[in-house]
C-alpha cells in the first residue's frame, strides 16, 4: 500500500505528459488577431518610409489600437460582423516617400478605401495588389510617382467605385479590363506630359 502511495505522483506526472503529447496544440499560443496583424503590416510599411511625417507618430506598436492612428479607420468584418479590422487608409498630401509594394496588401485584404493622393509614392503596382483587395471601393493615388503599367488584374476589383491615378508616371495603354468594373462611376488616369510639374 505504501509503495502505491509513493509511486502515485510519478503516475500522475506520466499521465500528464501523455495527455500533453496527445494535444500539442493546447500548448500553442493563440493566433494573433487579424487587427494586430494589420497593425504590424502598417508599422512595417512605416519603417520603410523615409523621414516619416509627424502625423505618423500616432502609429505606435501592435499592442495599441490602430483604429486610433492618424489616417486609419476601422470597421467590422466577417459573417458575424463582430471582428474589428482596418477598412481605410487615408494619408493625403503628407509627401510620403514610400513604395506601394512595401505595403502588405494580403494582410490588409479588408480595405475598402485607399486614399494616398499628393505624396511621393514610387514604384510599380505590386503584382498581388488587385487580387488581394476584394473589398476595395475607392483607390485614390493621384499626384504620386507610381510607374509602370496599370495591371490587367485590376478587373479583380469588382467593387471599385472610384479610381484616381492621374499625375503619376504610368506607361502603356489603359487596360480594357477596366470595362469589366461595372460599379466604377469615377475614373481619372490623366498622365503627365514630359516636363510637366
Amino acid at each position: 500500500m505504501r509503495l502505491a502511495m509513493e509511486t502515485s505522483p510519478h503516475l500522475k506526472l506520466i499521465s500528464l505528459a501523455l495527455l500533453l503529447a496527445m494535444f500539442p496544440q493546447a500548448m500553442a499560443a493563440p493566433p494573433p488577431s487579424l487587427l494586430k496583424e494589420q497593425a504590424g503590416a502598417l508599422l512595417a510599411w512605416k519603417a520603410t518610409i523615409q523621414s516619416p511625417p509627424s502625423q505618423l507618430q500616432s502609429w505606435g506598436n501592435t499592442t495599441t489600437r490602430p483604429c486610433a492612428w492618424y489616417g486609419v479607420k476601422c470597421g467590422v468584418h466577417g459573417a458575424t460582423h463582430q471582428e474589428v479590422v482596418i477598412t481605410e487608409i487615408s494619408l493625403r498630401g503628407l509627401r510620403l516617400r514610400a513604395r506601394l509594394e512595401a505595403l502588405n496588401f494580403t494582410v490588409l485584404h479588408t480595405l475598402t478605401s485607399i486614399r494616398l493622393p499628393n505624396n511621393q509614392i514610387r514604384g510599380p503596382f505590386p503584382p498581388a495588389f488587385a487580387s488581394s483587395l476584394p473589398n476595395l471601393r475607392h483607390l485614390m493615388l493621384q499626384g504620386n510617382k507610381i510607374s509602370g503599367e496599370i495591371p490587367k488584374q485590376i478587373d479583380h476589383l469588382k467593387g471599385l467605385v472610384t479610381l484616381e491615378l492621374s499625375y503619376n508616371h504610368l506607361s502603356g495603354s489603359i487596360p480594357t479590363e477596366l470595362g469589366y468594373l461595372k460599379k466604377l462611376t469615377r475614373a481619372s488616369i490623366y498622365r503627365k506630359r514630359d516636363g510637366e510639374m
Side-chain angles (χ1 to χ4, degrees), residues 9-189:
H10 295 294
L11 288 174
K12 288 181 180 177
L13 188 59
I14 291 169
S15 298
L16 181 60
L18 287 173
L19 185 63
L20 292 177
M22 289 172 58
F23 301 102
Q25 63 270 21
M27 297 292 291
S33 70
L34 179 56
L35 185 62
K36 190 171 182 177
E37 285 187 84
Q38 292 179 329
L42 290 183
L43 290 176
W45 186 56
K46 177 187 173 184
T48 69
I49 298 173
Q50 299 178 38
S51 304
S54 59
Q55 288 90 337
L56 297 191
Q57 287 179 357
S58 66
W59 290 26
N61 54 58
T62 55
T63 60
T64 62
R65 193 157 180 82
C67 305
W69 292 356
Y70 180 89
V72 176
K73 290 185 180 178
C74 294
V76 292
H77 175 70
T80 60
H81 296 288
Q82 292 180 346
E83 185 178 21
V84 176
V85 294
I86 293 174
T87 57
E88 182 175 333
I89 301 172
S90 182
L91 303 170
R92 300 169 181 264
L94 300 182
R95 303 189 69 79
L96 295 175
R97 299 175 69 186
R99 296 186 70 86
L100 204 56
E101 69 266 27
L103 193 51
N104 186 346
F105 291 108
T106 303
V107 172
L108 293 163
H109 64 272
T110 56
L111 285 174
T112 60
S113 181
I114 300 173
R115 302 172 193 265
L116 302 171
N118 304 317
N119 284 292
Q120 294 184 22
I121 297 173
R122 300 173 179 270
F125 283 96
F129 180 83
S131 58
S132 299
L133 299 167
N135 304 298
L136 196 65
R137 299 184 71 242
H138 305 285
L139 178 60
M140 301 175 69
L141 298 170
Q142 68 270 29
N144 281 288
K145 298 182 179 181
I146 297 169
S147 57
E149 298 184 356
I150 299 170
K152 296 183 183 299
Q153 294 85 351
I154 199 163
D155 64 347
H156 293 172
L157 302 177
K158 301 295 186 187
L160 202 62
V161 175
T162 306
L163 177 64
E164 295 280 355
L165 299 176
S166 297
Y167 297 103
N168 277 287
H169 299 298
L170 297 171
S171 59
S173 58
I174 296 173
T176 57
E177 285 77 6
L178 280 177
Y180 296 111
L181 302 180
K182 303 301 184 185
K183 295 183 179 180
L184 192 64
T185 59
R186 179 179 170 187
S188 178
I189 312 176

